[in-house]
């Protein structure tokens, strides 16, 4: 992996890259809302290009699905902690 993007700290592997992209998508949607979030915005937040995002997610729907799964998992875990 190159060193130009990712804020100078490229991910160690594809799994870490996917996680960073998903986390950035979640943060962007929390901060800007769904209408203010796009692949370009997410890529810009990470210091990478849109094609780099597409390397890990075939479509924006794939990325949104992955982000939703992570967000829902965190929400479910918080509810479980509160009801235990």
């Amino acid at each position: 992996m190159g060193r130009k993007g990712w804020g100078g700290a490229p991910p160690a592997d594809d799994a870490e890259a996917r996680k960073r992209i998903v986390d950035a998508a979640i943060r962007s949607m929390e901060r800007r809302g769904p209408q203010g979030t796009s692949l370009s915005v997410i890529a810009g937040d990470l210091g990478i290009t849109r094609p780099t995002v597409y390397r890990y997610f075939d479509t924006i729907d794939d990325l949104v699905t992955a982000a939703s799964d992570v967000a829902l998992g965190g929400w479910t875990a918080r509810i479980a902690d509160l009801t235990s």
Side-chain angles (χ1 to χ4, degrees):
M1 295 192 191
R3 300 236 177 246
K4 291 184 180 185
W6 302 102
D13 55 28
D14 287 350
E16 182 183 346
R18 287 179 60 88
K19 181 181 181 333
R20 286 192 196 179
I21 294 167
V22 167
D23 290 347
I26 292 169
R27 283 191 307 272
S28 181
M29 285 187 260
E30 288 173 344
R31 187 171 53 243
R32 299 176 180 104
Q35 271 73 19
T37 299
S38 67
L39 282 179
S40 295
V41 168
I42 294 165
D45 287 349
L46 291 168
I48 59 176
T49 63
R50 286 180 56 216
T52 301
V53 176
Y54 280 118
R55 176 176 177 212
Y56 300 101
F57 296 94
D58 291 333
T59 66
I60 185 68
D61 290 338
D62 291 342
L63 175 53
V64 170
T65 297
S68 298
D69 290 346
V70 169
L72 181 59
W75 182 79
T76 303
R78 286 192 297 260
I79 295 297
D81 287 346
L82 291 173
T83 59
S84 312

